[in-house]
Amino acid sequence: MSSFLPYLNFDGTCREAMTRYQQVFGGTLTIMGIEDVPGDEEIPEGFAGRVIHADLSLETGGILMASDTRPGGGRVPQSTYVSYQAPDVETARRAFEDLATDGDVEMEFGETFFSPGFGTLADRWGTLWMINVEADGPPPGMG
């Protein structure tokens, strides 16, 4: 089975961001820091405390992965969003409001012609999010 899995990169804030995402979405968070790498390799300059891999696994099967880049190596996303499909409007609204704290709302969360709840934002780490509640049927005029 093939699939696409989002993999986010941070410039030293991966642990903080992924811990917050677990608080927002639930699930199981696994974090491997550079200090956890097997062997006695010396940690490269500037890498102390950085995350080399993290994954947040939801009970529904969704996975969000991330790591820290080399110092100064991260880029803020320009047009790629992580799309979260919530089971209901209340769950979606709560996730939207939590992620919007100290972030920038692009499109306020609300009902649209294609969804009972949808909104977009950039969170405090620069990750772009689309929060959506799947409609019960196709949008008007599309089915």
Side-chain angles (χ1 to χ4, degrees):
M1 179 171 123
S2 298
S3 63
F4 292 104
L5 299 170
Y7 201 103
L8 305 175
N9 286 280
F10 298 90
D11 190 2
T13 59
C14 182
R15 186 178 308 273
E16 177 186 7
M18 292 297 284
T19 299
R20 181 66 179 139
Y21 298 159
Q22 181 189 32
Q23 292 168 351
V24 171
F25 301 111
T28 302
L29 178 61
T30 304
I31 296 177
M32 180 180 209
I34 189 77
E35 293 84 0
D36 300 322
V37 173
D40 58 357
E41 300 289 323
E42 187 173 318
I43 296 173
E45 185 175 333
F47 277 81
R50 289 192 176 248
V51 171
I52 62 165
H53 180 74
D55 66 75
L56 176 59
S57 300
L58 302 180
E59 292 178 16
T60 58
I63 300 173
L64 180 64
M65 297 183 290
S67 66
D68 284 315
T69 63
R70 65 188 180 343
R75 290 185 278 166
V76 175
Q78 296 294 315
S79 62
T80 302
Y81 289 74
V82 176
S83 180
Y84 172 65
Q85 303 297 308
D88 55 64
V89 172
E90 181 181 322
T91 301
R93 184 179 309 282
R94 186 172 49 251
F96 184 89
E97 290 171 357
D98 285 349
L99 292 169
T101 302
D102 297 325
D104 293 313
V105 172
E106 296 175 341
M107 179 179 174
E108 288 289 342
F109 185 83
E111 187 174 353
T112 68
F113 75 94
F114 59 86
S115 173
F118 178 83
T120 61
L121 62 100
D123 69 19
R124 65 191 262 184
W125 299 280
T127 302
L128 301 172
W129 292 92
M130 295 171 70
I131 307 298
N132 186 50
V133 179
E134 193 167 323
D136 290 332
M142 304 228 17

